[in-house]
């Protein structure tokens, strides 16, 4: 079974600075998808960024980018120019492209605080 | 399009009572998912529907849990004879699946269940 580990329960960053959230995963599959979701106090999970494992190029979405290291099974999220609205719980998630492709497996999350 | 809607937002019940939650997905979405999130954890997959067919339900936590999606529109999740360990947030998500790729999940804001 796949597992997702987020080793940082909490992180903090100054407004306008850059922060990196870590995620590692364990899988025997070669093709899969990785995601970062944001969960603000409103509780709604919002997709931040997505990476297909077969793509070598790291995904970027405006101020958000990932460092995907397939051999190391590492998938970190970098937030540049942090804003107060970025404060939230961030979850890393894995989805198979094979038989279990209907479900996301989430890590325990990292609580990000943005200091003004 | 108002997104995925869940009702109620909060539910407090006494142990042994039955509860039912409702999820209204985005109208054209053909897949609907239920997840459970306990304090300090990421969401955990429970079950999902493709249109009105429930394609995976082995992750439902016990036979006290059941879900339906009549006519492939809204879905209900019922918990019978609630226990204190059922206290959690129950999240619904929907997506439009085509060709097995490109699926993006949209989550609701969840129903927070407290069993006294």
């Amino acid at each position: 079974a796949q597992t997702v580990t987020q080793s940082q329960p909490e992180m903090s960053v100054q407004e306008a600075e850059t922060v990196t959230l870590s995620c590692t995963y364990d899988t025997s599959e070669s093709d899969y998808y990785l995601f970062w979701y944001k969960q603000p106090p409103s509780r709604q999970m919002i997709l931040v960024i997505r990476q297909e494992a077969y793509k070598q190029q790291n995904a970027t979405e405006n101020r958000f980018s990932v460092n995907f290291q397939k051999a190391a099974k590492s998938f970190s999220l970098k937030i540049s120019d942090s804003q107060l609205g970025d404060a939230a719980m961030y979850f890393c998630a894995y989805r198979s492209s094979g038989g279990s492709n209907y479900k996301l497996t989430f890590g325990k999350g990292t609580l990000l605080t943005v200091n003004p | 399009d108002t997104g995925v809607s869940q009702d109620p937002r909060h539910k407090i019940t006494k142990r042994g009572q039955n509860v039912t939650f409702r999820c209204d997905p985005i109208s054209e979405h053909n897949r609907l998912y239920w997840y459970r999130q306990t304090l300090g954890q990421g969401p955990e997959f429970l079950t999902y529907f493709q249109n009105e067919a429930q394609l995976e339900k082995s992750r439902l936590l016990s036979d006290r849990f059941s879900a339906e999606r009549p006519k492939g529109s809204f879905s209900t999740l019922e918990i019978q004879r609630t226990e204190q360990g059922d206290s959690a947030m129950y999240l619904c998500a929907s997506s439009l699946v085509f060709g097995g790729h490109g699926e993006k999940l949209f989550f609701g804001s969840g129903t927070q269940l407290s069993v006294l």
Side-chain angles (χ1 to χ4, degrees):
Chain A
Q2 293 82 20
T3 58
V4 177
T5 301
Q6 292 180 249
S7 59
Q8 305 154 317
E10 297 184 30
M11 291 283 285
S12 64
V13 63
Q14 291 296 125
E15 195 175 3
E17 297 295 309
T18 296
V19 64
T20 299
L21 308 184
S22 301
C23 172
T24 59
Y25 57 94
D26 187 27
T27 184
S28 59
E29 299 177 326
S30 59
D31 197 14
Y32 47 86
Y33 300 87
L34 295 165
F35 306 83
W36 279 98
Y37 279 88
K38 170 184 176 181
Q39 188 176 42
S42 67
R43 308 183 328 201
Q44 186 178 27
M45 300 282 283
I46 301 166
L47 178 64
V48 174
I49 199 164
R50 176 179 117 149
Q51 175 80 41
E52 290 93 338
Y54 63 86
K55 290 186 177 179
Q56 292 186 340
Q57 187 173 6
N58 289 325
T60 63
E61 288 286 343
N62 300 315
R63 298 181 295 107
F64 299 88
S65 61
V66 298
N67 183 4
F68 173 48
Q69 301 289 328
K70 190 173 184 179
K73 297 179 182 175
S74 171
F75 183 61
S76 61
L77 174 70
K78 185 171 81 171
I79 306 174
S80 304
D81 185 25
S82 297
Q83 301 176 0
L84 295 176
D86 295 333
M89 198 76 174
Y90 285 82
F91 291 95
C92 179
Y94 172 102
R95 195 182 90 217
S96 169
S97 66
S100 299
N101 64 0
Y102 50 83
K103 69 172 184 175
L104 290 167
T105 299
F106 287 88
K108 290 187 176 183
T110 296
L111 179 63
L112 178 66
T113 302
V114 181
N115 301 310
Chain B
D1 177 7
T2 58
V4 178
S5 177
Q6 290 189 247
D7 183 67
R9 189 164 172 83
H10 298 95
K11 178 70 177 179
I12 300 173
T13 191
K14 292 182 178 179
R15 186 162 48 98
Q17 297 294 304
N18 298 345
V19 294
T20 301
F21 311 139
R22 177 180 172 121
C23 172
D24 287 273
I26 294 172
S27 59
E28 67 270 21
H29 283 186
N30 53 4
R31 274 199 183 175
L32 186 147
Y33 300 83
W34 285 99
Y35 283 78
R36 185 179 87 145
Q37 186 176 18
T38 54
L39 198 62
Q41 302 292 321
E44 172 191 20
F45 172 82
L46 294 178
T47 187
Y48 88 107
F49 295 83
Q50 176 100 2
N51 300 311
E52 67 273 13
Q54 189 174 15
L55 298 185
E56 174 58 52
K57 59 181 180 180
S58 65
R59 298 290 182 167
L60 285 170
L61 300 163
S62 78
D63 58 6
R64 298 184 296 105
F65 287 70
S66 62
E68 293 183 342
R69 192 185 183 195
K71 303 179 183 178
S73 56
F74 71 92
S75 176
T76 57
L77 178 68
E78 182 181 18
I79 309 174
Q80 295 183 331
R81 305 180 302 282
T82 53
E83 301 173 357
Q84 288 184 327
D86 297 333
S87 296
M89 185 159 67
Y90 292 84
L91 292 166
C92 177
S94 70
S95 69
L96 179 63
V97 176
F98 53 95
H101 291 282
E103 181 181 14
K104 179 180 177 181
L105 266 65
F106 293 81
F107 282 84
S109 295
T111 293
Q112 182 68 51
L113 173 67
S114 298
V115 182
L116 304 179

